[in-house]
Amino acid sequence: MDTFHSAADLRACVSAWRRAGACVGFVPTMGNLHAGHFSLVELARAHADKVVASVFVNPTQFGPNEDFASYPRSLEADRAGLAAHGCDALFTPGVEEMYPFGAATSVRVEVPQITQTLEGELRPGHFAGVATVVTKLFNLVQPDVAVFGEKDYQQLLVIRRLAEDLRLPIEIVAAPTRREANGLAMSSRNQYLSAEERDRAGVIHRTLSAMRDGLHAGRVQVEIEADARARLAAAGLVPDYAVIRRAGDLSMPAGSEHRGLVALIAARLGRARLIDNLLLDP
Ligand code: PAF
């Protein structure tokens, strides 16, 4: 596997693949990779002849009080893992390579719909940072296929909208969430949890399943959501939200709607803020 720090070197490599007729898959990441990320690489491999992964901790998607400085970085282990999972090239640029005019003064990509609620409401500017860096990465890599995890469900919808609205010729593929034995969704931020907290965090997936069961049993949505928040709080988590929304655009469903919905949770536990979701009729 080749490693590139410069956009020009990466482009030269991808152009040579294209001239040889290869289809290119792309997996953008912020590093500190785990089995969930490697499953994205394997899915990209299944859709493409060549796979590029990027490792870039993107400053513009972190708020001023968030964990940009302390975000776990483990480039050597990431490189070894990517190579072992069949990645062909790693792009790991510095901040100046991605933001030549400075991160704060960069051209920005805004996705006005889908981003006004949930993570977008609680983390102002987050999705503009994600959309901006993903657009730049798409432009540098020019993949045919890009793979994103369903765990970051709202991000997946934002990227789909971005690719469609900018008419990018890139197929966006969703990868199912990988989970620990207790149901906890794999995430780089799980590293912030103690062993005991990891155990307790299994309540998030159990709560999502209870929300699904409640909906299927015909319970009223506001009651399902109130019960979900109470269940999380009883396990010592601080819920930011536990809601049922339309899976297509995260708008609020009418009380009579029972199809095409998703349950989403964000909750804080110790030093970690955890998000997860469950499609209610996948
Ligand atoms: O999901 C992530 O790891 C990041 O938001 C992404 C898509 C790599 C953009 O920085």
Side-chain angles (χ1 to χ4, degrees), residues 201-215:
V203 71
I204 296 177
H205 187 242
R206 288 196 298 279
T207 303
L208 288 166
S209 305
M211 292 170 84
R212 177 197 54 207
D213 296 346
L215 195 83

Side-chain angles (χ1 to χ4, degrees), residues 15-91:
S15 300
W17 289 344
R18 288 204 168 286
R19 281 195 300 279
C23 166
V24 178
F26 178 44
V27 180
T29 81
M30 296 207 300
N32 195 35
L33 306 180
H34 48 69
H37 292 110
F38 298 134
S39 73
L40 308 191
V41 171
E42 282 162 9
L43 196 53
R45 170 100 274 148
H47 281 80
D49 307 305
K50 296 284 186 185
V51 176
V52 180
S54 61
V55 170
F56 178 62
V57 184
N58 173 36
T60 65
Q61 68 188 75
F62 289 81
N65 299 318
E66 294 184 11
D67 56 345
F68 173 67
S70 60
Y71 194 83
R73 289 157 168 91
S74 54
L75 189 59
E76 277 323 304
D78 293 348
R79 200 197 313 265
L82 288 168
H85 286 83
C87 185
D88 298 288
L90 166 62
F91 180 46

Side-chain angles (χ1 to χ4, degrees), residues 161-180:
R161 172 63 64 88
L162 175 153
E164 261 186 58
D165 202 348
L166 296 180
R167 294 285 189 252
L168 302 179
I170 302 172
E171 184 191 349
I172 306 299
V173 172
T177 303
R178 291 287 298 267
R179 298 183 180 284
E180 307 288 353

Side-chain angles (χ1 to χ4, degrees), residues 28-31 37 54 56 58 61 71 126 129-130 133-134 137 148 152 155 159:
T29 81
M30 296 207 300
H37 292 110
S54 61
F56 178 62
N58 173 36
Q61 68 188 75
Y71 194 83
H126 169 68
V130 171
V133 81
V134 169
L137 289 166
F148 291 83
D152 296 306
Q155 169 172 282
I159 302 298

